[in-house]
Amino acid sequence: MKHRVRKKQLGRHTAHRQAMFRNMVTSLIKHERIKTTLTKAKELRTYADKMVTLAKQDTVHARRLAARIIREKGALKKLFTELGPRFTSRNGGYTRVLKLGSRLGDGASIAIIEYLGFVPKSAKTQEETKESTAKQRKEKTKANKETKKAQSETKDKPKKTATAKKESTPKKKTASKSEKK
């Protein structure tokens, strides 16, 4: 009988399932949007919402409880400094699950889970990053050309060699077997 059984097992043992959800919650906090299967996303909602509820309290005890699940300091800091204050006026329901369709390989239904208020990178920031990477590439190629030029100049210079060559000593002739007898 499945009385009072709320969580899905997802074909994993308890320790594996807990580790998987810890990693997924950490990734969700760091990126604020992740893509996974629909059933995992629905289960992940409970963990993600509990973390935001702890972040809204912002006490030492709440930090320690959250640190049991979120093992990365950067993600924990972001949870308590950005996500907690963002949802102070909201009572639950901090995440959104969007269905994407089926995966090609096995037909599993895929979904995106994200925190409410998630703003993807705007087109301006993407253009700025493209421009900055283009500038970096130009600088690297310019530096590479300069280093190649400097290397070729050092190769063109004649190397200083000793003027006097070592006199070779004559090789000793070994007597053949017929001469020894």
Side-chain angles (χ1 to χ4, degrees):
M1 289 184 282
K2 293 183 68 175
H3 296 304
R4 298 176 60 117
V5 177
R6 299 178 78 188
K7 296 181 180 178
K8 293 187 184 280
Q9 292 181 353
L10 298 171
R12 290 162 174 82
H13 295 289
T14 305
H16 184 189
R17 188 171 55 249
Q18 287 174 348
M20 179 186 68
F21 281 124
R22 281 179 181 151
N23 291 332
M24 290 176 76
V25 167
T26 304
S27 296
L28 182 62
I29 290 169
K30 283 169 49 176
H31 304 291
E32 294 190 30
R33 172 190 274 182
I34 59 173
K35 186 163 88 169
T36 183
T37 61
L38 183 62
T39 54
K40 286 180 191 173
K42 287 181 178 180
E43 286 296 314
L44 184 62
R45 276 189 304 198
T46 60
Y47 289 92
D49 287 350
K50 284 178 186 176
M51 290 301 105
V52 173
T53 303
L54 288 173
K56 284 169 56 174
Q57 295 172 7
D58 198 20
T59 61
V60 175
H61 182 62
R63 281 183 184 269
R64 289 180 179 164
L65 289 176
R68 289 188 340 192
I69 294 175
I70 301 164
R71 303 278 170 91
E72 292 184 17
K73 289 183 180 180
L76 194 63
K77 185 177 179 181
K78 181 177 180 179
L79 175 69
F80 280 89
T81 57
E82 294 178 24
L83 294 178
R86 185 193 303 176
F87 296 114
T88 51
S89 62
R90 189 174 183 89
N91 296 325
Y94 311 112
T95 55
R96 170 188 304 133
V97 177
L98 303 168
K99 296 179 184 179
L100 290 179
S102 298
R103 189 162 49 198
L104 289 177
D106 59 355
S109 55
I110 301 295
I112 289 178
I113 182 168
E114 64 183 9
Y115 281 112
L116 297 178
F118 170 73
V119 179
K121 289 183 179 179
S122 64
K124 289 182 182 179
T125 58
Q126 289 177 355
E127 288 176 8
E128 290 171 1
T129 55
K130 285 180 184 178
E131 289 175 2
S132 65
T133 54
K135 287 180 184 178
Q136 290 173 354
R137 283 191 210 126
K138 286 180 183 178
E139 290 173 2
K140 283 183 182 179
T141 55
K142 188 176 182 180
N144 287 340
K145 287 179 182 178
E146 290 174 2
T147 55
K148 286 181 183 178
K149 195 175 192 180
Q151 288 174 353
S152 66
E153 289 174 3
T154 57
K155 286 181 183 178
D156 292 342
K157 289 181 182 178
K159 293 183 180 178
K160 293 181 180 177
T161 57
T163 55
K165 293 184 180 178
K166 291 184 180 179
E167 294 181 17
S168 58
T169 57
K171 294 183 181 178
K172 293 181 181 178
K173 292 185 178 180
T174 56
S176 61
K177 290 181 182 179
S178 61
E179 293 177 0
K180 284 184 182 179
K181 291 183 182 178

